[in-house]
Amino acid sequence: MALSRDLMIEKMMLSDSSFNGRFITGVLTTKIYCLPSCTARKPKPENVQFFKSSAEAEAAGLRACKLCKPDLYEKGIDPELDRLEEVADKIRKDPGLFPSVDSVADAVCVSVSTLHQQFRDHYQTSPGTFLNRARIDAACRALLETGIDAGQVAYSVGFDSTSGFYESFRKMTGMTPVAYRELPRKNAFRVALPTEYPVTELLKVLNRDPEGVSDRLVDNLYEVGFTHQDSANILKMRIENDAVHCEVDGDDTLAAHKVALRILNLRQDPITFERQASDMGFTRLFEGRHGLRIAQTPTVFDGVIWVILGQQVNFKFAATMRRRLTELAGTRKGDLICTPDAAQVARLDEADLLKIQFSRQKADYLLNISRQNVDGKLDLESLLTQSATRVSRTLLGIRGFGVWSTNYLMMRTFGFADCVPLGDTGISSGLKNLLALDHRPKADEVAALMKPFTPYRSLASYHLWRGFS
């Protein structure tokens, strides 16, 4: 999608790192060119010319900025992101080494305020939230891999009190540490829901394809089939107002618990978003859906399937194509068919997909990404632990992935908080209705209208879909 001058000026003024690689800003008065994310003093718009690449800017007589180093960026060298990701990886491996956000800032060698900005730009979260999630993930590993008691686990991963640990653990996993430790030996478990979790809205989302062959909702019982490490599993979720009672027909209860958490998305914080929207005068955006979270796809590859099949078609037809693909390549278990994984799809050929009414283009996109994943050229699962910046760059480099596909997958499958699938008719229609516009805004205008919802544009987009499109 070509970017308008107005949008590029907006992103330049915001120092928006997500647009790095999409254009180069040239300042004609100083003869310097920069990345969109550059934090140097902003030039007057009339003194700016935009270029596609550093080479194009240099051909026009400009030289690279010494602060943001756009020439190095185009060579794959991004010192700021590399350093932040290096420290983020250390946090994930051993969060106990980082007792506070200040200690993270020291490790990155920046001020606390700069650290907050870098985490917002590259991870779409705050360093405190990132650190807390890493502590809970490390605690889960320790509970499964060691015999130490929960109190010792709490201190080993960086919590300074057991009460804080138990509260955070229950909030993010829906259970106590002791119950989590027992998961591998169980085929049933209970996930506690937060107060006022919008169960009715969740059931609507889970029932969006009543004819589905891989999942179904009957009253408050939701069943979904998924494939994990060549194993077919059925997760049965009986959804009550205060908890979800789960049973697993398969070999991997831990994987089933992860699927349940993805669907419920307990890690998302809708309250802060709703407070911000209310302060902006947009309480009606989430009216009747208080506490709504973005239900994630059960698996990463299922998200990829939805994105490719959903390009340029309505939901009904995309759902039909997904059912046909599942019947063709999935594994039957009982009276459901588990959605296929990348390996199962990679074994198909174009003719198989054309027979079930895939276009040649969609067949090519799906087979290409499936085979890249199987061949080791692309590891979709590894993207779950990478920065939003890295995920965006990776996805945009895959044949068939543009701005809409990338942002949709980032919000619905990877759980990033600040994405807008530009070009989505549901979002543009939603904004038209929410703001009482006399027209449906185009992508550039959508980007400007969604800006006030930063850093929670994913939830804003989701509510526009659910209540206004």
Side-chain angles (χ1 to χ4, degrees), residues 16 42-43 50 52 54 95-96 129 176 208 231 235 385 424 427 439 460:
D16 191 336
K42 301 301 180 184
F50 295 106
K52 294 180 180 178
S54 292
T129 298
T176 67
R208 62 179 185 160
S231 174
L235 170 63
T385 58
D424 188 277
I427 291 176
H439 65 287

Side-chain angles (χ1 to χ4, degrees), residues 6-213:
D6 287 346
L7 179 60
M8 289 188 285
I9 287 174
E10 176 192 334
K11 298 304 178 183
M12 174 195 74
M13 291 299 187
L14 290 172
S15 298
D16 191 336
S17 63
S18 68
F19 276 72
N20 287 349
R22 300 186 64 189
F23 66 86
I24 289 290
T25 300
V27 185
L28 303 182
T29 51
T30 61
K31 298 295 182 182
I32 291 174
Y33 68 90
C34 304
L35 293 171
S37 63
C38 189
T39 55
R41 182 177 179 181
K42 301 301 180 184
K44 295 180 179 179
E46 59 266 28
N47 295 330
V48 169
Q49 181 177 345
F50 295 106
F51 301 93
K52 294 180 180 178
S53 65
S54 292
E56 190 177 283
E58 290 176 4
L62 279 63
R63 65 185 187 278
C65 172
K66 294 184 178 179
L67 177 63
C68 66
K69 301 178 175 63
D71 51 339
L72 296 181
Y73 176 87
E74 289 193 356
K75 295 177 182 177
I77 303 171
D78 190 343
E80 176 187 297
L81 178 59
D82 290 344
R83 180 59 182 164
L84 188 64
E85 288 181 330
E86 178 185 349
V87 173
D89 188 53
K90 290 179 179 178
I91 293 172
R92 285 197 182 94
K93 289 178 179 176
D94 192 354
L97 296 175
F98 299 87
S100 65
V101 169
D102 286 352
S103 66
V104 178
D106 290 342
V108 182
C109 300
V110 296
S111 67
V112 171
S113 60
T114 298
L115 183 74
H116 275 269
Q117 187 62 52
Q118 288 187 4
F119 264 92
R120 175 177 289 189
D121 289 345
H122 296 300
Y123 284 91
Q124 297 187 4
T125 191
S126 69
T129 298
F130 183 92
L131 184 57
N132 195 54
R133 289 175 177 174
R135 287 171 176 166
I136 296 301
D137 289 340
C140 288
R141 295 194 299 270
L143 288 166
L144 296 175
E145 297 170 4
T146 74
I148 62 176
D149 65 44
Q152 289 176 296
V153 168
Y155 293 116
S156 71
V157 299
F159 283 94
D160 55 13
S161 73
T162 54
S163 60
F165 168 63
Y166 277 94
E167 181 181 355
S168 291
F169 195 94
R170 183 178 177 84
K171 181 179 179 181
M172 290 193 192
T173 68
M175 56 179 53
T176 67
V178 172
Y180 183 84
R181 176 171 262 162
E182 292 296 314
L183 273 177
R185 293 176 285 280
K186 304 282 188 177
N187 65 356
F189 56 91
R190 177 182 183 274
V191 176
L193 294 177
T195 304
E196 298 182 359
Y197 189 97
V199 167
T200 301
E201 284 298 315
L202 173 65
L203 295 176
K204 290 178 183 178
V205 172
L206 298 181
N207 198 40
R208 62 179 185 160
D209 180 19
E211 300 176 42
V213 296

